[in-house]
Amino acid sequence: MTLHPVLAEVTARIAERSRASRAAYLARIDAAHREGPHRAQLSCGNLAHGFAACGADDKAALRSGRAPNLGIVTAYNDMLSAHQPYERYPELIRRAARAAGVTAQVAGGVPAMCDGITQGRAGMELSLFSREVIAMATAVALSHDMFDGALMLGICDKIVPGLMIGALSFGHLPTVFVPAGPMPSGISNDAKTAVRQRYTEGKASREELMDAEAKSYHAPGTCTFYGTANSNQMLMEIMGLHLPGASFVNPNTPLRDALTEAAVRRLAEIATPGEQHMPLGRMFDERNVVNGVVGLHATGGSTNHLLHLVAVARAAGIALTLEDFDALSGVVPLMARVYPNGSADVNHFHQAGGMPFLIGSLVDAGLLHGDAHTVWGKGLDAYRAMPALDADGKLAWHEVGASGNLDVLRPATEPFRADGGLRVLEGNLGRAVIKVSSVPGDRLVIEAPAVIFHDQDEVKQAFDRGELDRDFVAVVRFQGPKAIGMPELHKLTPTLGVLQARGHRVALVTDGRMSGASGKVPAAIHVTPEAIDAGPLGKLRDGDLIRLDAIAGTLEAKVDAAEWAAREQVHADLSAHHVGMGRELFASLRNAVGSADAGATIFARHDRHHAADA
């Protein structure tokens, strides 16, 4: 199938824009690769430290250096349901490695925050920056020069992007990402949301709410709604970093274990010198990045990836911009309806054909780079197949035909809507992004007076006082990365959802983030420049008329131009957000972080310099 011209144009534009930074990145990882295998260069004392705790067979193999050694970087903890299954992975991987004639060691662990636990709490202000900490922890884990390849064990919001940024810093190593899968379906997301909204209105007790939440989040595995964690898994597969069809197989099942063992075998193959050797940094290029953007649009994925994918791309010397997202949004159809974009969960999505059907349909429509390199080899043909165990219990893949449920998953030729789920807004309030895949058609344009807040709790307090029973645009400012770490403002969702359900025309404008599980209320988020950085949000006053137009792609304060130019910036005392719950330790990250439209990362400045030179 011929590549869609817009896809080809955007990819070419990214490649040209990235020419200098990508060349510098590849030169760096090629130099590192030429120095390897690194383990052979260690002194006897260094190497003895590296295998001292191993069993006799592994110790002999590591001592001789005759076979690859695979490093496991794990985000295991047993508080996160998504990461609890990783507890048993190291031994499973070591056994599979020995069977493949190689060795494996846990290189190190990285922190893994649960945004579901920290929502609305002080800890959420560390969440985005945990991505940078994870990237650095990944680098520490791999810095021992003991490894010929790496297995990345991570699922949730900041963990996968952080692991990817860290792994790309060691792009001379072949790397495979290994998922753990979603928990089985519990109470429906619609039923859970209904209880949340009744609780917000004082019509349900805390015990009723707790019961609904416990029935929703009830077992090991990823939460089943299509938020950032499951968007991560979609991205890893469509970008070729998972094995085909591996993303949404439930944990602790024979099929999941078989896929994990197959991932180890595959890494052993591509980490062995020879024709199949495939360093991550060489495998992952602008085609994989564009495929990731297409996947986000086609599935209505999390807005958090307008930060994360930009930062990940830059770690590989690839300059991805919001304009690239916007251009692709116009030609990529919405093919999936998974909560909050529909009533189904990710298990229903997988049962309907999941990633193999999605990838196959997009390739057929010319909307994916079917020739992109993957950990499975060149091209996406293998990713059109679904894994299963045959009658003998052996892993096999079979082609996916038609969608098993057209209410959940449709072909690119018969989509739910003709364009993608993520848009860029621009105007005199700055640049912002909006997720429109689940916003009702009559709410894509909102014009209403501003009500200004400096904390999400103030919105709920105003609601409880009866001050918000009307049309308005909630402006929640001083929430950006430099201000307080750019927390998710998920506590706003029930309140604004109740008001929208009452028939009011409401919207949100903020320099903060929203949860990947949010979507029905129009929300212009990631506003750049942020308020603390002299951004236009700091000029807004209560009552200013704001127009959010997701169709035209504009975000404007309807204020006389002369008056607007003369207005002074409002300042906020944020000192209470900079201490307590460890926040004082993150001051250097707040001071170093870049803008949201550049990925809100502390690592991108060097790459931006090279991209500008190009």
Side-chain angles (χ1 to χ4, degrees):
M1 179 61 66
T2 303
L3 199 63
H4 192 288
V6 172
L7 196 76
E9 179 186 345
V10 169
T11 307
R13 189 165 62 228
I14 293 171
E16 177 58 27
R17 183 192 307 134
S18 310
R19 184 166 45 85
S21 55
R22 179 68 174 168
Y25 171 76
L26 292 176
R28 176 164 61 83
I29 66 166
D30 287 349
H33 175 61
R34 284 195 295 271
E35 295 170 4
H38 292 193
R39 194 169 61 261
Q41 299 177 19
L42 295 179
S43 72
C44 294
N46 293 150
L47 185 56
H49 275 84
F51 61 61
C54 293
D57 290 343
D58 287 353
K59 187 176 291 187
L62 288 167
R63 180 169 179 164
S64 70
R66 64 176 181 262
N69 185 36
L70 312 182
I72 304 166
V73 181
T74 177
Y76 163 73
N77 69 55
D78 61 11
M79 179 185 64
L80 271 71
S81 63
H83 289 199
Q84 188 275 343
Y86 285 137
E87 181 174 13
R88 48 191 289 273
Y89 272 45
E91 186 52 38
L92 179 67
I93 290 169
R94 283 191 286 264
R95 286 200 308 268
R98 292 176 193 125
V102 300
T103 54
Q105 295 177 291
V106 174
V110 302
M113 286 186 70
C114 178
D115 286 2
I117 296 173
T118 58
Q119 288 288 357
R121 311 292 298 176
M124 173 53 75
E125 295 174 17
L126 307 184
S127 176
L128 180 59
F129 288 144
S130 75
R131 183 190 68 190
E132 318 300 85
V133 174
I134 290 161
M136 291 186 283
T138 300
V140 171
L142 296 177
S143 68
H144 297 88
D145 278 357
M146 283 288 293
F147 308 108
D148 305 287
L151 293 156
M152 298 289 157
L153 311 187
I155 295 284
C156 287
D157 299 30
K158 304 334 150 285
I159 294 91
V160 166
L163 288 170
M164 188 66 179
I165 292 168
L168 284 165
S169 189
F170 286 76
H172 59 286
L173 295 178
T175 300
V176 176
F177 279 69
V178 185
M183 68 178 67
S185 302
I187 185 176
S188 74
N189 286 296
D190 284 344
K192 174 188 67 179
T193 300
V195 176
R196 284 178 173 177
Q197 292 196 346
R198 289 197 298 113
Y199 180 76
T200 298
E201 296 180 276
K203 298 176 181 178
S205 67
R206 177 178 170 83
E207 187 58 32
E208 288 177 277
L209 180 61
M210 178 61 74
D211 188 55
E213 301 285 3
K215 288 178 179 176
S216 179
Y217 312 117
H218 63 97
T222 315
C223 306
T224 60
F225 60 82
Y226 193 52
T228 311
N230 285 315
S231 296
N232 279 339
Q233 304 316 295
M234 179 281 300
L235 277 174
M236 291 297 103
E237 186 159 339
I238 207 166
M239 294 194 303
L241 293 152
H242 280 173
L243 264 59
S247 294
F248 299 117
V249 174
N250 299 126
N252 302 320
T253 61
L255 178 56
R256 171 50 69 200
D257 286 356
L259 285 163
T260 301
E261 291 166 353
V264 178
R265 291 194 297 272
R266 183 57 185 162
L267 181 61
E269 291 170 350
I270 63 175
T272 299
E275 290 185 2
Q276 293 193 74
H277 191 267
M278 180 57 71
L280 172 64
R282 280 285 174 185
M283 187 215 89
F284 185 78
D285 64 20
E286 62 273 3
R287 292 170 297 177
N288 305 81
V289 171
V290 168
N291 285 352
V293 175
V294 169
L296 284 172
H297 286 315
T299 58
S302 169
T303 53
N304 282 322
H305 285 296
L306 283 99
L307 302 170
H308 298 324
L309 194 50
V310 170
V312 166
R314 288 188 181 278
I318 299 167
L320 177 68
T321 70
L322 295 186
E323 287 76 17
D324 301 322
F325 283 91
D326 204 45
L328 291 169
S329 177
V331 300
V332 178
L334 181 67
M335 298 167 57
R337 284 286 189 199
V338 186
Y339 186 87
N341 308 321
S343 59
D345 65 23
V346 293
N347 292 310
H348 304 135
F349 169 78
H350 186 67
Q351 291 156 13
M355 293 303 300
F357 178 86
L358 183 89
I359 290 171
S361 185
L362 287 167
V363 169
D364 289 344
L367 289 170
L368 284 178
H369 288 282
D371 62 344
H373 288 286
T374 74
V375 297
W376 204 241
K378 184 175 182 180
L380 290 175
D381 284 350
Y383 287 78
R384 304 171 72 117
M386 184 73 79
L389 298 180
D390 64 18
D392 298 322
K394 294 182 179 179
L395 183 62
W397 278 265
H398 60 87
E399 285 277 335
V400 173
S403 168
N405 187 339
L406 290 173
D407 292 330
V408 178
L409 183 60
R410 293 185 181 178
T413 52
E414 303 173 39
F416 292 101
R417 55 186 295 160
D419 56 354
L422 300 169
R423 302 265 179 83
V424 177
L425 306 175
E426 295 197 65
N428 65 357
L429 289 177
R431 305 172 78 206
V433 298
I434 184 170
K435 181 177 179 178
V436 298
S437 52
S438 58
V439 175
D442 64 343
R443 302 302 170 110
L444 293 174
V445 179
I446 300 290
E447 187 168 296
V451 183
I452 310 295
F453 304 97
H454 290 177
D455 190 284
Q456 63 178 327
D457 289 332
E458 295 174 358
V459 180
K460 180 62 165 61
Q461 292 161 8
F463 173 83
D464 290 342
R465 293 192 300 267
E467 298 172 1
L468 300 181
D469 216 0
R470 55 192 173 94
D471 295 356
F472 71 100
V473 174
V475 177
V476 186
R477 61 193 180 191
F478 296 104
Q479 307 296 303
K482 293 182 181 180
I484 60 172
M486 207 177 187
E488 288 186 351
L489 306 176
H490 188 50
K491 287 172 72 174
L492 299 174
T493 301
T495 301
L496 296 177
V498 166
L499 293 167
Q500 180 166 282
R502 290 178 182 174
H504 299 305
R505 299 187 67 76
V506 298
L508 171 68
V509 174
T510 182
D511 48 9
R513 296 184 294 131
M514 286 295 282
S515 167
S518 306
K520 290 183 173 63
V521 174
I525 59 177
H526 308 181
V527 176
T528 306
E530 61 179 289
I532 201 172
D533 209 20
L537 290 188
K539 289 187 172 186
L540 281 172
R541 305 292 186 265
D542 282 323
D544 285 344
L545 193 65
I546 293 179
R547 183 177 176 85
L548 186 164
D549 188 336
I551 298 173
T554 57
L555 179 64
E556 296 178 326
K558 310 295 282 188
V559 178
D560 176 77
E563 178 186 349
W564 186 252
R567 277 193 187 173
E568 294 186 359
Q569 292 281 134
V570 170
H571 299 283
D573 180 5
L574 303 174
S575 58
H577 291 272
H578 295 166
V579 296
M581 204 60 70
R583 289 174 290 182
E584 60 276 8
L585 300 177
F586 284 70
S588 60
L589 277 73
R590 288 191 296 272
N591 293 335
V593 70
S595 61
D597 59 352
T601 178
I602 65 172
F603 303 128
R605 292 180 179 180
H606 182 66
D607 285 339
R608 284 203 298 273
H609 172 72
H610 280 298
D613 288 345

